[in-house]
Amino acid sequence: MVKNCRLSNLKLKKIFDFGKQPLGNGFLKKKNFNKEFFFRMEIGFCMQSKLVQLIKQPPPKMMFHSKYPFFSSLSKNMQQHFEKTANQIYLKYKRKKNNFFIIELGSNDGIFLEYFRKNKIKHLGIEPAKNVATISKNKKIQTLNKFFDDKCANEIVKNYGKADIFFSANVICHIPNITKLSKNIKKVLNKDGYLIFEDPYLGDIVKKGSYDQIYDEHVFFFSIHSVRNIFKKIDMTLIDALPQTTHGGSMRYIIKNSLNAKTTKNLDILLKNETKLGITSLKGFTKLSNKIKKSKKDLLKILKNLKKNGKSVAGYAATSKSTTILNYCKIKSDLIPYINDTTPLKIGKFSPGMHIPIKSYEKSKKTEPDYYILFAWNHIKEILKKERNFIKKGGKFITHIPKVRIIK
Ligand code: TYD
């Protein structure tokens, strides 16, 4: 049970209590309903490290196991994003001697490292979930199916050497022991190497009220201030931060493995913006709490009204994010009878906690509802394009970002 900051060890200030929540990716069969795991989901803020974090988190092995149902390559947008990112990083950081080596933590099905494999550039993926690691290995991407711990870090240095770049996307925010992790990253990096990572950005969560980014797997909600503090402790310097549109608003952090490295003007501007937004003190989080409560009230109102007027509503995409919304708002199958999804591992199962059936996307398209509630709102462009026929026929989408509304 953590009540203290995972970085500074000081007492956390509670920001919000979401009540009892299941595992965000805990899609389950009917026979397992009575064995389902729940935990009290609360987030806290550390006044010193500036880190927003879950107060308690379920054990990692419950969340990331051999049947982890998240496959990065299912989204076209993410494929494009990672290909572009790989290309940018390689062109910017490759050495003249051409002995570049890149490590990725949480390489999933190989969506990012594919670029390096294709171009015959030395790479190594570390992926603890067996199913996705196997997909990546089958694509001939060099992959270790392991948790990145002290032993794994030592083994990497011994067997592969130190890396020029340590990359990670949507993974570091999942790892509770940030002190140990950051030391292990430093261990496998060259002296002048860089850690480049991206994660959903706290600034976007607060601005958009996207509280569904908060679920069991995300232990940290990073800000630029907090990332700077984490790496300062081990003599690494955050030199720049680059906003990204992925996952509904993310930040890419560039951290040099040296003390007192030169930082950019852009970084200064973004740091000032965070202070203005109020996320370096408790101010911004009072606003966030109010937004979350209002979002719940407005969403329930729309869904209940639609039901009263005889309109049918279904969920679009059984995202992990939707678990927080459904359980916090207590939305069950009387309001949303099913959710469609394209992930084979989720189809035929039920949503965590609220037990809404998950139907295959193809099958569910045969009889469409009047409204879809967009749980994969971070892929809104891709989805509205894909669903232009549904919209043409008068079908509508509901979203809760940046406020609850029917998309016109
Ligand atoms: P994502 O927002 O990446 O999920 P998470 O909140 O879990 O991080 O979306 C991935 C999920 O959404 C995955 O279950 C597949 C599903 N999905 C669809 O079913 N259809 C779609 O068009 C898209 C883009 C995603």
Side-chain angles (χ1 to χ4, degrees):
M1 195 161 75
V2 175
K3 286 252 192 293
N4 290 354
C5 170
R6 291 168 178 85
L7 186 69
S8 72
N9 209 25
L10 297 176
K11 205 162 172 50
L12 292 170
K13 302 257 181 217
K14 196 196 285 182
I15 299 174
F16 201 82
D17 183 353
F18 290 91
K20 213 174 77 166
Q21 290 278 337
L23 300 177
N25 262 314
F27 296 89
L28 71 176
K29 292 189 179 142
K30 212 178 216 158
K31 67 169 195 234
N32 294 325
F33 282 177
N34 57 3
K35 288 190 259 174
E36 197 170 10
F37 174 86
F38 289 90
F39 75 112
R40 179 81 174 265
M41 192 167 87
E42 298 165 295
I43 49 168
F45 174 68
C46 172
M47 302 291 281
Q48 192 194 72
S49 72
K50 311 295 179 201
L51 256 172
V52 172
Q53 52 203 283
L54 285 182
I55 293 182
K56 273 188 260 168
Q57 197 191 24
K61 289 212 162 119
M62 282 191 81
M63 300 180 284
F64 312 112
H65 42 66
S66 62
K67 291 202 173 110
Y68 185 59
F70 188 83
F71 300 87
S72 299
S73 297
L74 285 178
S75 158
K76 269 195 202 120
N77 266 4
M78 292 306 275
Q79 259 171 21
Q80 282 163 2
H81 170 77
F82 284 119
E83 201 176 317
K84 200 170 129 204
T85 304
N87 188 254
Q88 279 172 349
I89 290 179
Y90 183 59
L91 294 184
K92 184 152 184 192
Y93 297 97
K94 75 172 173 198
R95 306 273 180 71
K96 284 191 192 101
K97 333 179 242 182
N98 208 17
N99 63 352
F100 185 87
F101 175 33
I102 185 161
I103 296 177
E104 185 186 11
L105 177 61
S107 47
N108 199 273
D109 52 16
I111 189 170
F112 172 77
L113 288 180
E114 177 75 23
Y115 170 91
F116 297 93
R117 185 204 58 83
K118 262 199 231 150
N119 292 292
K120 301 194 171 62
I121 301 160
K122 187 175 170 190
H123 62 271
L124 180 67
I126 310 159
E127 176 50 66
K130 192 167 178 199
N131 57 346
V132 279
T134 304
I135 297 177
S136 159
K137 281 184 190 169
N138 289 343
K139 291 187 200 159
K140 305 250 169 335
I141 292 163
Q142 186 144 240
T143 311
L144 289 180
N145 177 213
K146 288 189 173 160
F147 274 97
F148 182 58
D149 50 17
D150 299 3
K151 197 170 148 225
C152 178
N154 292 334
E155 196 182 307
I156 290 173
V157 176
K158 192 169 146 233
N159 299 339
Y160 303 87
K162 293 196 177 193
D164 300 291
I165 302 286
F166 189 101
F167 180 78
S168 195
N170 311 307
V171 170
I172 295 194
C173 71
H174 294 71
I175 303 175
N177 197 338
I178 189 72
T179 303
K180 209 172 209 182
L181 173 71
S182 57
K183 284 183 184 162
N184 280 332
I185 291 175
K186 195 175 169 76
K187 200 184 276 177
V188 300
L189 264 182
N190 270 327
K191 260 200 190 128
D192 52 354
Y194 293 86
L195 160 66
I196 301 178
F197 80 95
E198 53 191 62
D199 269 311
Y201 177 52
L202 180 67
D204 283 292
I205 296 176
V206 170
K207 265 190 252 162
K208 296 174 186 159
S210 46
Y211 71 92
D212 50 348
Q213 290 289 6
I214 304 167
Y215 55 91
D216 60 333
E217 292 176 20
H218 291 166
V219 64
F220 294 119
F221 306 91
F222 293 123
S223 64
I224 303 171
H225 278 86
S226 62
V227 168
R228 189 171 64 167
N229 289 337
I230 293 168
F231 292 96
K232 209 160 125 188
K233 270 195 134 172
I234 54 162
D235 295 346
M236 287 175 75
T237 312
L238 172 69
I239 59 165
D240 203 3
L242 307 164
Q244 307 293 314
T245 55
T246 44
H247 283 286
S250 298
M251 192 61 78
R252 181 179 302 160
Y253 304 96
I254 320 281
I255 299 141
K256 195 161 186 197
N257 187 15
S258 64
L259 193 62
N260 301 325
K262 195 170 179 300
T263 61
T264 63
K265 271 208 183 110
N266 172 55
L267 187 73
D268 291 341
I269 297 169
L270 293 176
L271 283 165
K272 278 190 193 126
N273 288 348
E274 287 194 342
T275 311
K276 260 191 242 155
L277 187 62
I279 58 175
T280 52
S281 64
L282 283 173
K283 218 167 52 194
F285 304 117
T286 312
K287 271 190 248 162
L288 176 66
S289 301
N290 292 336
K291 265 189 201 165
I292 298 173
K293 287 180 203 153
K294 182 166 169 19
S295 182
K296 173 179 180 171
K297 219 168 94 192
D298 293 349
L299 185 58
L300 284 171
K301 194 167 149 195
I302 281 200
L303 292 177
K304 284 179 181 166
N305 269 341
L306 289 174
K307 189 179 174 191
K308 206 167 76 193
N309 295 326
K311 301 287 183 197
S312 55
V313 182
Y316 197 105
T319 56
S320 347
K321 293 186 288 290
S322 68
T323 300
T324 300
I325 303 177
L326 295 170
N327 287 276
Y328 171 63
C329 302
K330 303 225 164 21
I331 297 169
K332 296 196 180 123
S333 53
D334 58 327
L335 291 178
I336 300 181
Y338 68 92
I339 304 170
N340 72 29
D341 200 275
T342 52
T343 314
L345 263 176
K346 295 181 185 174
I347 296 162
K349 291 190 179 155
F350 293 82
S351 76
M354 291 294 120
H355 303 162
I356 298 175
I358 313 299
K359 284 196 187 175
S360 109
Y361 173 76
E362 280 78 26
K363 278 194 194 146
S364 74
K365 288 296 283 179
K366 287 182 188 147
T367 42
E368 293 203 287
D370 300 312
Y371 291 78
Y372 276 120
I373 168 160
L374 189 52
F375 289 132
W377 56 270
N378 45 318
H379 300 286
I380 185 164
K381 265 198 201 149
E382 183 174 342
I383 291 173
L384 293 186
K385 204 166 137 200
K386 190 161 105 185
E387 301 305 334
R388 46 182 183 265
N389 278 340
F390 166 73
I391 296 167
K392 242 194 231 154
K393 284 187 281 175
K396 291 204 162 38
F397 277 91
I398 302 165
T399 182
H400 68 293
I401 301 292
K403 61 175 192 202
V404 176
R405 68 201 157 93
I406 292 165
I407 299 173
K408 301 277 179 211

